[in-house]
Amino acid sequence: MKLSLCFLSTKMALKSLIFMAVLHGYSLQKSLAAGESYHKDDDGEGHPVNTGLIQCGEYTNQILPNGKCKIVATLPQVDEQRCPDMFRCTDEISYWLHENEERKQQILELRELISELQEELRNHRHRIKVLELQNEEKNSRNSTVEQRVQDLEQLYNEASTLQHIQATLLYDMQTQIHNISLMTEWARHNPGCLFPAEMRSQQEGHHRAEVQHTRSCPTDCASIYYSGIRRSGVYSIMPSVGRMPLEVLCEMDTEGGGWTIIQRRQDGSVNFNRTWNEYRDGFGDVNGEFWLGNANIHRMTSQGDYSLRIDMEDWSNKHKHAFYQVFSIEDEVNYYRLHVDGFSGTAEDSFAWYHNKRSFSTPDSGNICAEISHGGWWYHQCFFSNLNGVYYKGGRYYMKNRKILGPDGVVWYTWKDTDYYSLKKVTMMIRPRTFRPHFSP
């Protein structure tokens, strides 16, 4: 028995083709489940074999030459020699159509779910893109911040440099104001005297400049002495080598007077462990302990021939002195090299024979002797005199107790024939070699 169905549209034919293929699979599965066997003919087509259970048979389909579909269903004959109930097969077909509709619905739901997932995926991709853009923007901002920090650091460095320059200029201005004040005060106390430029014009033609004592500004304590002032004290002088007045302590009693004091130690109130610049410019108080300054000593000893006297006192109140006929120091370019000679006095020489023609050095100048001795001096290897050393009250000191690397006191070696005895008082003073005191009748 054959049943033929035709469909009018190609679209419906394709759908039916898919449906019958699914239906064929399910029918075969159902037939096997119901006890139906299945075999193929010589032409390759399969036919169901009745095993005593009710079955609907085999379904096949094909496309006709006119493009329409033709579906053929072969139904087996039942035991009563009659065709099976067509409606029963129709019910089975309806069942599978219903199952197919459910599968379609599931497929539609799956498609919707896939669409939703795709939409969510697009949203996630969009969020990732936004985050990437935000990260790029943040990195750009970080880069901008880093650049701004670098710019600020550069501005800070420039501001620091400008501040340093400003402080230097301010210091120079204060120094100039101080110098002008000194000159004003000096001119007030020395009216009518010649200035260094005028003195140099008077001295032209001389092979060696001699100290002028008449109609000129005082250039040292000897010139003050010649002007009629015979009392010791602090005075202003104008060395001929230089332009600025200088306050000095004058000694008018020792050996006829006229001495300009360049160094004094008396109580340890001033620390002499100083830098090169401090020894160059001078430090301390002219009314107490002080160093006049290498630059000032050079200015004075360059305007004529000078002698040096060193007065010393120990802790037993014993006094001695050393006198040197020749004394001068060179300029800073030559490290204030010492020239001292012509010794005499009540103390044995611990200065000229060992320190003559030595350069001045300080703890910060890289000289190991200056570092060990904690002072500024014309060190050799290292010293026989160290009058700018550490002030030890009582005189004697020891390396072990003081935890020092070597002797560093206010030492004049030949006083006690030791480096470990520090003097109580020391005064270094200079005056012109041609000085002649005026004694009252």
Side-chain angles (χ1 to χ4, degrees):
M1 176 179 181
K2 294 184 178 180
L3 178 64
S4 298
L5 298 174
C6 292
F7 297 89
L8 299 177
S9 67
T10 304
K11 185 176 181 180
M12 291 299 296
L14 292 173
K15 288 184 179 181
S16 300
L17 181 61
I18 295 171
F19 162 72
M20 292 307 296
V22 174
L23 184 60
H24 172 70
Y26 281 110
S27 298
L28 178 59
Q29 182 179 2
K30 188 174 181 62
S31 299
L32 293 173
E36 179 182 80
S37 63
Y38 190 83
H39 72 276
K40 290 185 178 180
D41 293 337
D42 294 337
D43 58 2
E45 293 205 357
H47 298 277
V49 177
N50 191 2
T51 58
L53 299 177
I54 298 174
Q55 51 186 322
C56 290
E58 177 187 325
Y59 296 91
T60 61
N61 60 78
Q62 66 182 58
I63 299 176
L64 299 177
N66 60 2
K68 294 183 179 181
C69 294
K70 179 180 180 181
I71 298 176
V72 178
T74 301
L75 302 178
Q77 185 177 353
V78 297
D79 296 337
E80 291 83 2
Q81 299 295 321
R82 63 181 180 82
C83 290
D85 189 354
M86 188 65 186
F87 293 102
R88 182 173 179 176
C89 289
T90 304
D91 290 340
E92 189 172 348
I93 293 172
S94 298
Y95 169 78
W96 293 114
L97 287 174
H98 177 71
E99 288 291 321
N100 188 54
E101 287 297 328
E102 288 185 355
R103 300 294 183 272
K104 287 183 178 180
Q105 186 63 31
Q106 291 176 356
I107 290 172
L108 290 176
E109 291 176 356
L110 288 173
R111 286 178 178 176
E112 290 180 359
L113 179 60
I114 291 172
S115 298
E116 291 176 359
L117 291 175
Q118 288 177 340
E119 181 66 22
E120 189 172 353
L121 178 61
R122 285 194 295 270
N123 291 336
H124 282 304
R125 288 176 177 173
H126 177 71
R127 293 192 190 98
I128 291 173
K129 187 65 177 177
V130 171
L131 290 175
E132 288 177 350
L133 292 175
Q134 290 177 350
N135 187 50
E136 291 178 0
E137 184 179 357
K138 184 184 295 184
N139 291 336
S140 177
R141 284 200 299 267
N142 290 339
S143 177
T144 304
V145 170
E146 290 177 0
Q147 184 63 39
R148 290 182 63 185
V149 170
Q150 293 177 358
D151 294 341
L152 289 174
E153 288 178 350
Q154 183 176 356
L155 290 175
Y156 173 78
N157 293 332
E158 293 176 356
S160 298
T161 302
L162 291 174
Q163 187 177 9
H164 177 72
I165 295 173
Q166 182 182 12
T168 302
L169 292 174
L170 181 61
Y171 176 79
D172 292 341
M173 290 178 61
Q174 290 174 342
T175 301
Q176 292 178 13
I177 292 172
H178 177 70
N179 292 340
I180 292 172
S181 300
L182 286 177
M183 290 189 68
T184 303
E185 185 68 16
W186 178 85
R188 186 172 67 84
H189 287 89
N190 300 275
C193 68
L194 299 177
F195 285 89
E198 299 173 291
M199 296 193 318
R200 283 194 294 274
S201 66
Q202 287 186 357
Q203 296 165 359
E204 289 180 358
H206 292 77
H207 176 67
R208 188 174 182 85
E210 297 294 334
V211 179
Q212 303 295 311
H213 303 300
T214 59
R215 299 182 63 254
S216 64
C217 301
T219 57
D220 55 19
C221 291
S223 59
I224 291 177
Y225 177 92
Y226 281 120
S227 69
I229 299 175
R230 310 293 167 80
R231 178 177 294 180
S232 299
V234 178
Y235 298 92
S236 293
I237 64 171
M238 179 76 81
S240 60
V241 182
R243 298 182 179 180
M244 296 308 303
L246 176 66
E247 281 194 345
V248 295
L249 178 62
C250 295
E251 170 56 51
M252 299 299 189
D253 301 316
T254 301
E255 200 182 347
W259 297 99
T260 303
I261 298 178
I262 63 173
Q263 183 255 33
R264 184 161 72 171
R265 309 294 298 275
Q266 61 183 15
D267 55 16
S269 58
V270 174
N271 180 16
F272 274 66
N273 187 7
R274 300 295 185 108
T275 64
W276 175 268
N277 291 342
E278 289 175 303
Y279 269 98
R280 178 193 63 197
D281 301 333
F283 57 86
D285 184 356
V286 292
N287 293 303
E289 294 191 332
F290 68 93
W291 177 258
L292 188 62
N294 289 331
N296 296 323
I297 298 171
H298 167 70
R299 288 169 60 191
M300 293 182 63
T301 58
S302 297
Q303 63 187 359
D305 296 327
Y306 279 77
S307 299
L308 170 69
R309 178 185 171 100
I310 303 175
D311 284 0
M312 296 170 281
E313 178 183 342
D314 68 7
W315 292 89
S316 299
N317 299 322
K318 184 181 294 185
H319 295 262
K320 292 183 181 181
H321 78 276
F323 177 79
Y324 298 91
Q325 186 70 20
V326 176
F327 175 77
S328 67
I329 63 173
E330 298 180 28
D331 58 11
E332 186 175 15
V333 175
N334 294 299
Y335 304 102
Y336 301 114
R337 185 180 293 113
L338 173 67
H339 295 275
V340 59
D341 197 9
F343 169 76
S344 63
T346 58
E348 295 184 40
D349 183 22
S350 290
F351 186 40
W353 76 272
Y354 190 74
H355 297 275
N356 186 34
K357 296 184 180 180
R358 300 300 168 186
S359 299
F360 198 87
S361 56
T362 56
D364 66 331
S365 65
N367 186 297
I368 185 63
C369 290
E371 293 182 25
I372 293 174
S373 304
H374 302 106
W377 197 247
W378 296 276
Y379 292 107
H380 185 14
Q381 293 179 354
C382 282
F383 63 76
F384 270 79
S385 62
N386 187 40
L387 302 185
N388 289 334
V390 178
Y391 191 90
Y392 288 105
K393 293 184 178 180
R396 295 195 178 275
Y397 65 100
Y398 304 94
M399 287 179 58
K400 183 177 181 181
N401 295 337
R402 302 286 182 175
K403 295 182 180 179
I404 56 179
L405 297 176
D408 63 352
V410 183
V411 174
W412 190 268
Y413 181 83
T414 56
W415 191 288
K416 298 282 186 181
D417 290 330
T418 178
D419 288 326
Y420 294 95
Y421 184 84
S422 184
L423 296 173
K424 181 180 181 181
K425 291 183 180 180
V426 176
T427 301
M428 299 175 65
M429 46 193 173
I430 61 175
R431 73 180 179 186
R433 203 183 308 167
T434 58
F435 178 80
R436 297 293 180 268
H438 294 168
F439 295 102
S440 301

